[in-house]
Amino acid sequence: MRGEKIPVGILGATGIVGQRLVALLEQHPWFEVTEVAASDRSAGLRYEEAVHWLLPSPIPERVRRLVVKECAPGLECQLVFSALPADVAAEVEPEFARAGYVVCSNASAHRLEPDVPLLIPEVNPDHLQAIAHQRRRRGWARGFIVTNPNCSTIHLTLVLKPLMDRFGLRQVMVTTLQALSGAGYPGVTSLDIVDNVIPFIKNEEEKLETETRKLLGRWEGEGFAFAPLRISAQCNRVPTLDGHMECVSLAFERRPTREEIIEALASFASVPQQLRLPTAPARPIVVREEPDRPQPRLDREVERGMASVVGRIRPCAILDYKMVILGHNTIRGAAGAALLNAELLLAQGWLP
Amino acid sequence: MRGEKIPVGILGATGIVGQRLVALLEQHPWFEVTEVAASDRSAGLRYEEAVHWLLPSPIPERVRRLVVKECAPGLECQLVFSALPADVAAEVEPEFARAGYVVCSNASAHRLEPDVPLLIPEVNPDHLQAIAHQRRRRGWARGFIVTNPNCSTIHLTLVLKPLMDRFGLRQVMVTTLQALSGAGYPGVTSLDIVDNVIPFIKNEEEKLETETRKLLGRWEGEGFAFAPLRISAQCNRVPTLDGHMECVSLAFERRPTREEIIEALASFASVPQQLRLPTAPARPIVVREEPDRPQPRLDREVERGMASVVGRIRPCAILDYKMVILGHNTIRGAAGAALLNAELLLAQGWLP
Amino acid sequence: MRGEKIPVGILGATGIVGQRLVALLEQHPWFEVTEVAASDRSAGLRYEEAVHWLLPSPIPERVRRLVVKECAPGLECQLVFSALPADVAAEVEPEFARAGYVVCSNASAHRLEPDVPLLIPEVNPDHLQAIAHQRRRRGWARGFIVTNPNCSTIHLTLVLKPLMDRFGLRQVMVTTLQALSGAGYPGVTSLDIVDNVIPFIKNEEEKLETETRKLLGRWEGEGFAFAPLRISAQCNRVPTLDGHMECVSLAFERRPTREEIIEALASFASVPQQLRLPTAPARPIVVREEPDRPQPRLDREVERGMASVVGRIRPCAILDYKMVILGHNTIRGAAGAALLNAELLLAQGWLP
Amino acid sequence: MRGEKIPVGILGATGIVGQRLVALLEQHPWFEVTEVAASDRSAGLRYEEAVHWLLPSPIPERVRRLVVKECAPGLECQLVFSALPADVAAEVEPEFARAGYVVCSNASAHRLEPDVPLLIPEVNPDHLQAIAHQRRRRGWARGFIVTNPNCSTIHLTLVLKPLMDRFGLRQVMVTTLQALSGAGYPGVTSLDIVDNVIPFIKNEEEKLETETRKLLGRWEGEGFAFAPLRISAQCNRVPTLDGHMECVSLAFERRPTREEIIEALASFASVPQQLRLPTAPARPIVVREEPDRPQPRLDREVERGMASVVGRIRPCAILDYKMVILGHNTIRGAAGAALLNAELLLAQGWLP
């Protein structure tokens, strides 16, 4: 059986998201990590020498001794996950796609390009239609790039999707309280964040306000029509390790009851659930009724970190309803998102 | 000189706000702490024995050896500061007022009563007119109760005041990130908040939504007319020691430019500044232009903890402008607020 | 199969250690939680209503709906785990033993009694011989009490055992850095520990200095001969959630080489490993060679929290060798310790 | 008066220790900062542009607008404080001394050189005699280098000094719990230390074990005779912002009573107190009797951060006595140490 798994590579394998990918792929039924690539500084070392491993689970045995390669085509696999920094991804990912690789990218570099799917399998699986256009336009024979959104955007959008479908969405106000791991490693230095909050994350508000509208928009054959939503975001860094929290206020086209909202969220299931993709959560959205939930440390592991947890659903004095969203930022918000995208690609026949 | 200072008592002197009062009054030019009162558990002990002192400065020498009294009339002073829990304050404060004491209260018990001033000296000093009505209505000869708002309300309202005066205010969306000291001692246990955020503070959203409207309203001879604002609040507890942060979005009657907002905030001064009250900040509102300020640990001590610090002023895609407010929750947000109220009372001749 | 599991009860089931027991017993091959008992305040509620659940895994389905009973004989099981506070345990545990229950206790109440085994299955399984004496002396027909040590003692002693056996031990200096969960819930309040360290844990130094010597001593038919070691402990509380760290310096009877120490630790295995007890770690002691390990967050989950992790083994300028020990305080240090004791009792025929 | 102050420069002025120096010198009666120097990256910028200011007090007005220079002779002053990294200090400090500057260095580069005083004014003021030898040996006409010890060494040695003088010292076991600011900026990243402890600080144990012995040793005309002590150190990084804690165990030549120890510590005063140096603490050592003190957040500011606070003095089962020491690591442990050294130099006529 093992010999039949699909070999995959990880670009940026030593970073926080790369580590999560290594861990999530350890027991994966379809994929097997055969290549790890990182910056020149790490290339040539064994993975265990190159990585500053931050997860409580040990480095998987198979990956521990892999020799880290450079981030350039030549890896022995046809599918690569990219956990590269945006500026590196901007150059490297197209090289891989041109060389025939399927690239599932967590990087922001190509998310907003008019021929690149920005994908959440539960939200906009039909956006994969853009792949054919992407290949044509760029002259790529077999390879292509599919991206997943920013870590805070994923959880927001996952929750907005069933609400938009049922009640129509007009306005979204969101204030985030984001975890440290979202800044990568080394990221935020302790002297800046112990006993503190930083009310600024570079480019994050723009990503939330833009990516969400592409995700909830439509593929129109030659490009994406963004959803006609108004979104306003304020982003903060708080001293939690994992788990982004979002305080949201929403205005609908048709004001639902509180029960209708809960029902729409709790019953939500979509293509990944129907296809039983291995990494798909049974419940993409989990609703909590306690007055003080969700909380990052207590709820980030729900559904192995692949769900968005929603609580405190209540009326808003200005827009229609307020609620609190919580989700794991490096699992569903990054590594798990890229992996679920790859699973959808395989299940729908996009992999060679 | 020292003998001429006005003797004051502190009710609830061993709690966090009581401790701040003790510290703020140490070198006060007008007042001198001669009485400390607390729960029966502490009564009879010397203050240094009864208190679990949490401030980095030492217990002031004069107060250290005062014997803690019970919270009942009989204290040798005519002005008392109340840092009592709400349920105790509900009973004890009227007893003191009836017995002739002036009560400057930080407790929530009487804040919303129709004959009790809820006071921020920079915002609504004219609300002190209600005192005469309060005495008449309750049959109190000399004593009365004046309250200060909740810790997060004070900083929000201080910032809203000049904006409302200049541009008119219609809507206020606010999401708070509040410090641990706001919950008192022992308050939040470490197992609940290390590596975590709690998206709920009991009654806090209601206080923000209601108190703000009383503060910005008008005294109308027999009661207060609340300001016709719509306010929607979401409150979170984060693992910072001191300093409440508030992410705010505002809709105005007349949309100002960004420069007009900055000018209105930075130039704001009011009665406490004109009267040069000892605890009044030179600048009640400090505007920062850096992209990542204000921050709790770096900005909570500005103007000795008596200012509100505002930053990140920028347009909002839904309402008109967004900004971030930061203020010390136990100084300007509690102990300093009660003290500034007492200073205004003295300066305007309300003390015996 | 399920019907054949041995029913067990948990006394003090709603506390931190009680919760860990519930979680560890969820999939246990031999035991099944059928009774949960707690203070009168909780009795009568369903477990999910009574508990302030702090673990990231959800409450096990079977236990969630159990009705919490009072801590008094009458529970339908013959084996109870006690995670009671010491003062309650002092009274309740003998009542259970007298009524015929086998009590595996994590409480300190009876640890030092001359007829009660203080047990770490890898260290002193022969101390179970005291049970017969205990029953005789107290007139208990079937029941008895077995205790496990304090959380920091367990990890220290587990590491000392193979070293004492091979090289003889004369002196042990230990300074601990202990996690918040060791204080139970609510335990340490956040205002006391954020940005701080507390160099004092009530009775902890005494426990370390005394319990270790009983564990490493001998059962002599009528009582325990404590090991003739000199131990000096300094205990600190630090702001980590789980995982006690101990900086140790040791003097031996025969000074080993560094390699001999590593070999003695890394090769250590004992009765639980030979009996393949379900909760026994494959490696009770894990040695790390990196210069900066062990660390609480990275190493506390090794061997599912049942191992002691040792690093930084190096010469000491005063005694012979220094090293750093790290172990999970509520798993191997409490709940897992009580459970492993019960497994040993079952395997050796002590359970009815 | 102000015109008569002595102009001083700060090398490495933008780092954490440099910032503390800027703050401590703001109101200094003798010195005035006229020059700030830092790495090439900062040179040419105004100080407020170059620095990532981390202190709660604002940047002093006079320094705010100073243009940052390169760290090379040419600064308009004759006294420079060096807060440079060790490798830079190794080259730059001798250049300054050769060019005639008096260098008060916090860097480790020259601390152990046989002709450089490693100075704590309360401990070994007579070591300044080495300056004449240093100049002769190196051919420096007017300049010279004086260093202060490592941050954890200073507090340990300050406490050991009166004990050694009175009772003789044979052995010192010390386990440290060190604050984040000791690692400089950016220093320890938050992902490495939140909910964690790191049992390793590069070179720190060696510094503690060696510098202490030089400080407590004697100048013998051509070199220093180190004190014949045995010291064994274990160093840990914990998530506190400021304040190093040290758990110490001591063996004496003549075993004192507990009261004699307290008396020796509490009554300690030395040259800086006799000379009334401006930065000298009135009490260099403060003894606390509470069972749970000292604590970093509560005690680091004692005597404006210039004292060592000692508590938990009690017998040790292996050596003679145990105790806990706490001191501010960037004030008395670094910036204040260099400043006090300079004050002693001025008071004793060593400055031009």
Side-chain angles (χ1 to χ4, degrees):
Chain A
M1 260 311 259
R2 181 157 261 258
E4 299 174 30
K5 285 188 187 171
I6 295 169
V8 302
I10 301 174
L11 312 181
T14 57
I16 284 192
V17 174
Q19 292 180 34
R20 280 283 182 200
L21 276 163
V22 167
L24 289 174
L25 285 162
E26 183 177 8
Q27 309 274 358
H28 200 276
W30 298 352
F31 302 129
E32 178 172 52
V33 178
T34 56
E35 300 272 21
V36 286
S39 68
D40 297 354
R41 199 177 55 249
S42 299
L45 300 172
R46 275 179 293 131
Y47 185 70
E48 66 179 341
E49 297 164 340
V51 73
H52 180 80
W53 187 257
L54 286 162
L55 300 179
S57 57
I59 308 177
E61 278 309 311
R62 287 200 64 260
V63 175
R64 178 183 286 278
R65 277 173 240 286
L66 289 180
V67 173
V68 178
K69 305 247 178 102
E70 287 182 27
C71 288
L75 305 183
E76 305 220 347
C77 58
Q78 292 188 303
L79 170 63
V80 292
F81 294 98
S82 165
L84 295 168
D87 56 339
V88 180
E91 290 195 20
V92 165
E93 290 176 5
E95 288 175 23
F96 272 88
R98 188 173 304 115
Y101 293 85
V102 171
V103 180
C104 286
S105 173
N106 180 59
S108 65
H110 303 286
R111 285 179 192 151
L112 296 181
E113 292 188 16
D115 59 351
V116 173
L118 178 62
L119 180 69
I120 301 176
E122 282 92 345
V123 171
N124 59 343
D126 55 306
H127 284 204
L128 291 182
Q129 298 169 56
I131 293 172
H133 180 68
Q134 182 190 135
R135 282 170 163 166
R136 252 195 330 272
R137 185 173 167 231
R138 305 196 184 221
W140 294 344
R142 288 171 304 134
F144 58 86
I145 298 173
V146 166
T147 62
N148 61 262
N150 166 277
C151 47
S152 47
T153 304
I154 290 177
H155 291 285
L156 178 64
T157 306
L158 203 47
V159 173
L160 295 183
K161 173 65 177 172
L163 302 177
M164 188 177 81
D165 285 353
R166 300 251 198 131
F167 316 115
L169 259 182
R170 291 189 301 113
Q171 296 176 325
V172 179
M173 294 274 285
V174 54
T175 299
T176 67
L177 294 83
Q178 299 186 219
L180 299 166
S181 58
Y185 187 88
V188 184
T189 190
S190 57
L191 287 173
D192 282 339
I193 199 68
V194 170
D195 183 19
N196 207 14
V197 170
I198 303 174
F200 178 69
I201 302 174
K202 199 170 152 74
N203 296 330
E204 191 83 359
E205 296 174 355
E206 293 77 2
K207 288 176 186 171
L208 260 169
E209 294 177 1
T210 311
E211 293 179 8
T212 305
R213 297 175 54 238
K214 181 175 181 183
L215 285 156
L216 295 173
R218 285 196 323 276
W219 170 249
E220 299 195 319
E222 302 258 313
F224 295 94
F226 282 34
L229 278 179
R230 282 160 71 195
I231 305 178
S232 179
Q234 305 210 48
C235 294
N236 301 284
R237 184 78 65 194
V238 297
T240 47
L241 289 165
D242 292 307
H244 286 355
M245 177 170 283
E246 311 184 16
C247 295
V248 173
S249 192
L250 305 175
F252 297 101
E253 287 175 5
R254 299 176 297 283
R255 193 183 203 279
T257 65
R258 186 173 175 281
E259 289 64 38
E260 288 173 319
I261 291 178
I262 292 173
E263 203 277 326
L265 296 175
S267 68
F268 181 59
S270 180
V271 171
Q273 285 71 39
Q274 290 146 15
L275 296 176
R276 298 180 178 275
L277 300 181
T279 301
R283 300 166 298 168
I285 301 171
V286 173
V287 177
R288 309 269 325 205
E289 289 279 14
E290 299 91 331
D292 61 353
R293 298 291 279 269
Q295 297 180 16
R297 205 182 71 228
L298 300 182
D299 294 308
R300 63 194 174 201
E301 307 281 358
V302 169
E303 294 276 351
R304 292 158 299 126
M306 288 298 292
S308 299
V309 184
V310 181
R312 303 209 69 216
I313 301 168
R314 60 210 193 281
C316 174
I318 295 178
L319 305 187
D320 292 324
Y321 280 94
K322 296 188 280 198
M323 61 190 67
V324 177
I325 302 171
L326 187 282
H328 201 296
N329 54 300
T330 66
I331 301 179
R332 168 58 92 151
L339 179 52
L340 193 62
N341 283 358
E343 292 173 0
L344 181 65
L345 289 171
L346 180 64
Q348 297 196 330
W350 287 97
L351 292 192
Chain B
M1 260 310 261
R2 181 156 261 258
E4 299 174 31
K5 284 187 187 172
I6 296 169
V8 303
I10 302 175
L11 312 180
T14 57
I16 283 193
V17 174
Q19 292 181 33
R20 281 282 182 199
L21 275 162
V22 167
L24 289 173
L25 285 162
E26 181 178 9
Q27 308 274 356
H28 199 275
W30 298 352
F31 303 128
E32 180 172 49
V33 178
T34 58
E35 299 273 22
V36 286
S39 67
D40 297 355
R41 198 176 57 248
S42 300
L45 300 173
R46 275 179 294 130
Y47 185 71
E48 65 178 342
E49 297 164 340
V51 73
H52 179 80
W53 187 256
L54 286 162
L55 301 179
S57 58
I59 308 177
E61 277 311 311
R62 289 198 65 261
V63 176
R64 177 184 289 278
R65 277 171 242 286
L66 290 180
V67 172
V68 178
K69 305 248 179 98
E70 287 182 26
C71 288
L75 306 184
E76 305 221 347
C77 58
Q78 293 187 302
L79 170 64
V80 293
F81 294 98
S82 165
L84 294 168
D87 55 340
V88 181
E91 292 195 20
V92 166
E93 289 176 4
E95 289 175 21
F96 272 88
R98 188 173 305 114
Y101 293 84
V102 172
V103 180
C104 288
S105 173
N106 180 60
S108 64
H110 304 286
R111 284 181 192 151
L112 296 181
E113 292 188 16
D115 59 350
V116 173
L118 178 62
L119 180 68
I120 301 175
E122 282 92 342
V123 170
N124 60 341
D126 56 305
H127 285 205
L128 291 182
Q129 297 169 57
I131 293 171
H133 180 68
Q134 179 188 138
R135 282 170 163 167
R136 250 194 330 271
R137 186 173 167 230
R138 304 196 183 221
W140 294 344
R142 289 172 303 134
F144 58 87
I145 298 173
V146 167
T147 62
N148 59 261
N150 165 276
C151 47
S152 49
T153 304
I154 290 177
H155 291 285
L156 178 64
T157 307
L158 202 48
V159 172
L160 295 182
K161 173 64 177 173
L163 300 177
M164 188 177 79
D165 285 353
R166 300 250 197 133
F167 316 116
L169 258 183
R170 294 189 300 116
Q171 296 175 326
V172 179
M173 296 275 284
V174 53
T175 299
T176 67
L177 294 84
Q178 298 186 221
L180 300 166
S181 59
Y185 187 88
V188 184
T189 190
S190 56
L191 286 174
D192 281 339
I193 199 68
V194 169
D195 184 20
N196 207 14
V197 170
I198 303 173
F200 178 70
I201 302 173
K202 200 172 152 75
N203 296 331
E204 191 83 0
E205 297 175 354
E206 294 76 3
K207 288 175 186 172
L208 259 169
E209 294 176 0
T210 311
E211 294 180 7
T212 305
R213 296 177 52 240
K214 180 174 181 182
L215 284 156
L216 295 172
R218 284 195 324 276
W219 170 248
E220 297 195 321
E222 301 258 314
F224 295 94
F226 281 33
L229 276 179
R230 282 161 70 195
I231 306 178
S232 178
Q234 306 211 47
C235 293
N236 301 284
R237 184 77 66 196
V238 296
T240 48
L241 289 164
D242 292 307
H244 286 355
M245 178 170 282
E246 311 184 15
C247 294
V248 173
S249 192
L250 305 174
F252 297 102
E253 287 173 4
R254 299 175 298 285
R255 192 183 204 278
T257 66
R258 186 172 175 281
E259 289 64 38
E260 287 174 320
I261 290 177
I262 292 173
E263 203 277 326
L265 295 174
S267 68
F268 180 60
S270 179
V271 171
Q273 285 71 39
Q274 289 146 19
L275 295 175
R276 297 179 179 278
L277 300 181
T279 301
R283 301 166 298 168
I285 300 171
V286 172
V287 177
R288 308 268 329 204
E289 289 279 16
E290 300 90 330
D292 61 353
R293 299 292 278 267
Q295 296 179 18
R297 205 182 73 229
L298 300 182
D299 293 308
R300 62 196 175 200
E301 306 282 358
V302 169
E303 294 276 348
R304 293 158 299 126
M306 288 299 291
S308 299
V309 184
V310 182
R312 303 209 68 215
I313 302 168
R314 61 211 193 280
C316 175
I318 296 178
L319 306 187
D320 291 327
Y321 280 94
K322 296 188 281 200
M323 61 190 68
V324 177
I325 300 172
L326 186 282
H328 201 296
N329 53 301
T330 66
I331 301 180
R332 169 59 93 151
L339 179 52
L340 193 63
N341 283 359
E343 292 173 0
L344 181 66
L345 290 171
L346 180 65
Q348 296 196 331
W350 288 98
L351 293 192
Chain C
M1 260 310 260
R2 183 156 260 258
E4 300 173 31
K5 284 188 188 172
I6 295 169
V8 302
I10 301 174
L11 312 181
T14 58
I16 284 193
V17 174
Q19 292 181 34
R20 281 282 182 199
L21 276 163
V22 168
L24 289 173
L25 285 162
E26 182 177 8
Q27 308 275 356
H28 199 276
W30 299 351
F31 302 129
E32 179 171 53
V33 178
T34 57
E35 298 274 20
V36 286
S39 67
D40 297 356
R41 199 176 56 248
S42 299
L45 299 173
R46 274 180 294 131
Y47 185 71
E48 67 179 341
E49 296 164 342
V51 72
H52 179 80
W53 187 258
L54 286 163
L55 300 179
S57 57
I59 307 177
E61 277 309 313
R62 288 198 67 259
V63 177
R64 178 185 288 278
R65 277 171 242 287
L66 289 180
V67 173
V68 178
K69 305 246 177 100
E70 286 182 26
C71 288
L75 305 184
E76 306 219 346
C77 57
Q78 292 187 303
L79 170 64
V80 293
F81 295 97
S82 165
L84 293 168
D87 55 339
V88 181
E91 292 194 21
V92 166
E93 290 176 3
E95 289 175 21
F96 272 88
R98 187 173 305 116
Y101 293 83
V102 172
V103 180
C104 286
S105 172
N106 179 60
S108 63
H110 304 286
R111 284 181 194 152
L112 296 181
E113 292 188 16
D115 59 351
V116 173
L118 178 61
L119 180 68
I120 302 176
E122 282 92 345
V123 170
N124 60 342
D126 55 305
H127 285 205
L128 291 182
Q129 298 169 55
I131 293 172
H133 180 69
Q134 181 189 138
R135 282 170 163 166
R136 251 192 332 270
R137 185 173 169 230
R138 305 196 184 222
W140 294 344
R142 288 172 303 136
F144 58 87
I145 298 174
V146 166
T147 63
N148 60 261
N150 164 276
C151 47
S152 48
T153 304
I154 290 177
H155 290 286
L156 179 64
T157 305
L158 202 48
V159 172
L160 295 183
K161 173 64 176 172
L163 300 178
M164 188 178 79
D165 285 352
R166 300 250 197 133
F167 316 115
L169 258 183
R170 293 189 301 115
Q171 297 175 325
V172 179
M173 296 274 285
V174 53
T175 299
T176 67
L177 294 84
Q178 298 185 220
L180 300 166
S181 58
Y185 187 87
V188 185
T189 189
S190 56
L191 286 173
D192 281 339
I193 199 68
V194 170
D195 184 19
N196 206 15
V197 170
I198 303 173
F200 179 70
I201 301 173
K202 200 172 153 71
N203 296 330
E204 191 83 0
E205 297 175 354
E206 293 77 3
K207 288 176 186 170
L208 259 170
E209 293 176 357
T210 310
E211 294 180 7
T212 305
R213 295 176 53 239
K214 180 173 181 184
L215 285 157
L216 295 173
R218 284 196 322 276
W219 170 248
E220 299 195 320
E222 301 259 313
F224 295 94
F226 281 33
L229 276 180
R230 282 160 70 196
I231 305 178
S232 178
Q234 304 209 50
C235 294
N236 301 284
R237 185 77 66 197
V238 296
T240 48
L241 290 166
D242 292 308
H244 286 355
M245 177 170 283
E246 310 184 17
C247 296
V248 173
S249 192
L250 304 175
F252 297 101
E253 288 173 4
R254 300 176 297 285
R255 192 183 203 279
T257 64
R258 187 172 175 282
E259 288 64 38
E260 287 173 319
I261 292 178
I262 292 173
E263 202 278 325
L265 296 175
S267 68
F268 181 59
S270 181
V271 171
Q273 285 72 40
Q274 290 146 17
L275 295 176
R276 297 180 180 275
L277 300 181
T279 301
R283 301 166 298 167
I285 302 171
V286 173
V287 177
R288 308 269 328 204
E289 289 279 17
E290 300 90 331
D292 61 351
R293 299 292 278 267
Q295 295 179 19
R297 206 183 71 228
L298 300 183
D299 293 307
R300 63 195 175 200
E301 306 281 358
V302 169
E303 294 276 349
R304 291 157 300 123
M306 287 299 290
S308 299
V309 184
V310 181
R312 300 208 70 215
I313 301 168
R314 60 209 193 283
C316 173
I318 294 178
L319 306 186
D320 291 326
Y321 280 94
K322 297 187 280 199
M323 61 191 69
V324 178
I325 301 171
L326 187 280
H328 201 295
N329 54 300
T330 65
I331 301 180
R332 168 58 91 149
L339 179 52
L340 192 63
N341 284 358
E343 291 172 0
L344 181 66
L345 290 170
L346 180 64
Q348 297 196 330
W350 288 97
L351 292 193
Chain D
M1 257 314 256
R2 179 156 262 257
E4 297 174 31
K5 284 188 188 170
I6 295 169
V8 301
I10 301 174
L11 312 181
T14 57
I16 283 192
V17 175
Q19 292 180 33
R20 280 283 182 198
L21 276 163
V22 166
L24 289 173
L25 285 162
E26 181 177 9
Q27 309 274 356
H28 199 275
W30 298 352
F31 302 129
E32 179 172 52
V33 178
T34 57
E35 299 273 21
V36 286
S39 67
D40 298 355
R41 198 177 57 247
S42 299
L45 299 173
R46 276 180 292 131
Y47 185 71
E48 66 178 341
E49 297 164 341
V51 73
H52 180 81
W53 188 257
L54 286 162
L55 301 178
S57 58
I59 306 177
E61 277 309 312
R62 288 199 64 260
V63 175
R64 178 184 287 279
R65 277 172 242 286
L66 289 180
V67 173
V68 178
K69 304 248 178 99
E70 288 182 24
C71 287
L75 306 184
E76 306 221 346
C77 58
Q78 291 188 302
L79 170 63
V80 293
F81 295 98
S82 165
L84 294 169
D87 56 339
V88 181
E91 291 194 20
V92 165
E93 291 176 4
E95 288 175 21
F96 272 88
R98 188 172 304 115
Y101 293 84
V102 171
V103 180
C104 288
S105 172
N106 180 60
S108 64
H110 303 285
R111 284 179 192 153
L112 296 181
E113 292 188 15
D115 58 351
V116 172
L118 178 62
L119 181 68
I120 301 175
E122 282 92 345
V123 171
N124 60 342
D126 55 305
H127 284 205
L128 291 182
Q129 297 168 57
I131 293 172
H133 180 68
Q134 180 189 137
R135 281 170 166 167
R136 252 195 329 272
R137 184 172 169 232
R138 306 197 184 220
W140 294 344
R142 289 171 302 135
F144 59 86
I145 298 173
V146 167
T147 63
N148 60 261
N150 164 277
C151 47
S152 49
T153 304
I154 290 177
H155 291 285
L156 177 64
T157 306
L158 203 47
V159 173
L160 295 183
K161 173 66 176 171
L163 300 177
M164 188 177 80
D165 286 352
R166 300 251 198 133
F167 316 116
L169 258 183
R170 293 189 302 115
Q171 296 176 324
V172 179
M173 295 274 286
V174 54
T175 299
T176 67
L177 294 83
Q178 299 187 219
L180 299 167
S181 58
Y185 187 88
V188 184
T189 190
S190 56
L191 286 174
D192 281 338
I193 200 67
V194 169
D195 183 19
N196 206 13
V197 170
I198 303 174
F200 179 70
I201 303 174
K202 199 171 153 73
N203 297 329
E204 192 82 0
E205 297 175 355
E206 294 77 2
K207 288 176 186 172
L208 259 169
E209 295 178 0
T210 310
E211 294 179 9
T212 305
R213 297 177 53 239
K214 181 175 181 182
L215 285 156
L216 294 172
R218 286 195 323 276
W219 170 247
E220 298 196 320
E222 302 257 313
F224 295 94
F226 282 33
L229 277 178
R230 281 161 70 195
I231 305 178
S232 178
Q234 304 210 48
C235 293
N236 301 285
R237 184 77 66 196
V238 297
T240 48
L241 290 166
D242 292 307
H244 286 356
M245 178 170 282
E246 310 184 16
C247 295
V248 173
S249 192
L250 304 175
F252 298 102
E253 287 173 5
R254 300 177 296 285
R255 192 184 205 278
T257 65
R258 186 172 175 281
E259 289 64 38
E260 288 173 319
I261 290 177
I262 292 173
E263 202 278 326
L265 296 175
S267 69
F268 181 60
S270 180
V271 172
Q273 286 71 38
Q274 290 146 17
L275 295 176
R276 298 180 180 276
L277 300 182
T279 301
R283 301 167 297 167
I285 301 170
V286 173
V287 177
R288 309 269 325 207
E289 291 277 16
E290 301 90 331
D292 61 353
R293 299 293 277 267
Q295 296 179 18
R297 205 182 72 229
L298 300 181
D299 293 308
R300 63 194 174 201
E301 307 281 356
V302 168
E303 294 277 350
R304 292 157 300 125
M306 287 300 290
S308 298
V309 184
V310 182
R312 303 210 66 217
I313 301 168
R314 61 208 193 283
C316 174
I318 295 178
L319 306 187
D320 291 325
Y321 280 95
K322 296 186 280 197
M323 61 191 66
V324 178
I325 301 171
L326 187 281
H328 201 296
N329 54 301
T330 65
I331 301 179
R332 169 57 92 151
L339 179 53
L340 193 62
N341 283 359
E343 293 172 0
L344 182 66
L345 289 171
L346 180 63
Q348 296 195 331
W350 286 99
L351 293 191

